[in-house]
Amino acid sequence: MSWYDIFPLISTSFILISGILVAIGWSLIIKKKREAHEKVMVAAAIAASLFFIIYVSRTIFIGNTMFNGPESLKILYLIFLLFHIVLATVAAVFGITTLTLAYRKKFAKHRKWGKTTALIWFATVITGVTVYVLLYLCYPGGHTKPVIHAIFG
């Protein structure tokens, strides 16, 4: 197994763990277990942050993976990927906002933002895992150069 395979597996695992933790956190707050909810949601945020750090590091130092599937599916994949990227960006902004509201103890706003944030995050996790499956399990290959090499040669 190469770095091209290990880093995506690890980062996708963190995003999946984050989604599972968000679901557990949601369940806990419904049961009025506020302290446990807080701990689980912080763990979810840490898992999501670890995903982001690994993803950015891989992009800079190792490179990403281009779609290596049939040409007939490429446009559908790219549309799907764009949808995932937009979802992930919105989820990150909403996630930071939701965590900030909780930290500032603005629980009424946190509750409203939290429901929407969690739903967007679940969609992000599902589309992210789907991208991983397409790039590394269904149609492996298509590695790109690391950004650092593209910039500095």
Side-chain angles (χ1 to χ4, degrees), residues 33-50:
K33 296 181 178 183
R34 184 183 266 178
E35 204 172 297
H37 165 79
E38 181 181 343
K39 289 177 183 175
V40 169
M41 296 310 261
V42 167
I46 290 169
S49 298
L50 288 170

Side-chain angles (χ1 to χ4, degrees), residues 101-134:
L101 289 169
Y103 178 75
R104 293 183 178 169
K105 306 210 183 304
K106 296 183 178 187
F107 295 119
K109 285 185 178 181
H110 170 77
R111 209 172 294 117
K112 288 179 184 176
W113 277 80
K115 291 174 186 175
T116 303
T117 301
L119 292 173
I120 294 169
W121 192 246
F122 295 146
T124 301
V125 170
I126 291 165
T127 58
V129 170
T130 303
V131 167
Y132 172 81
V133 168
L134 288 169

Side-chain angles (χ1 to χ4, degrees), residues 18-68:
S18 175
I20 291 167
L21 289 171
V22 168
I24 292 168
W26 193 342
S27 171
L28 288 168
I29 201 62
I30 288 170
K31 295 174 185 172
K32 308 281 190 227
K33 296 181 178 183
R34 184 183 266 178
E35 204 172 297
H37 165 79
E38 181 181 343
K39 289 177 183 175
V40 169
M41 296 310 261
V42 167
I46 290 169
S49 298
L50 288 170
F51 156 79
F52 184 72
I53 290 165
I54 293 167
Y55 178 80
V56 169
S57 299
R58 179 185 57 152
T59 300
I60 293 170
F61 298 110
I62 296 172
N64 282 324
T65 301
M66 298 180 308
F67 183 69
N68 203 30

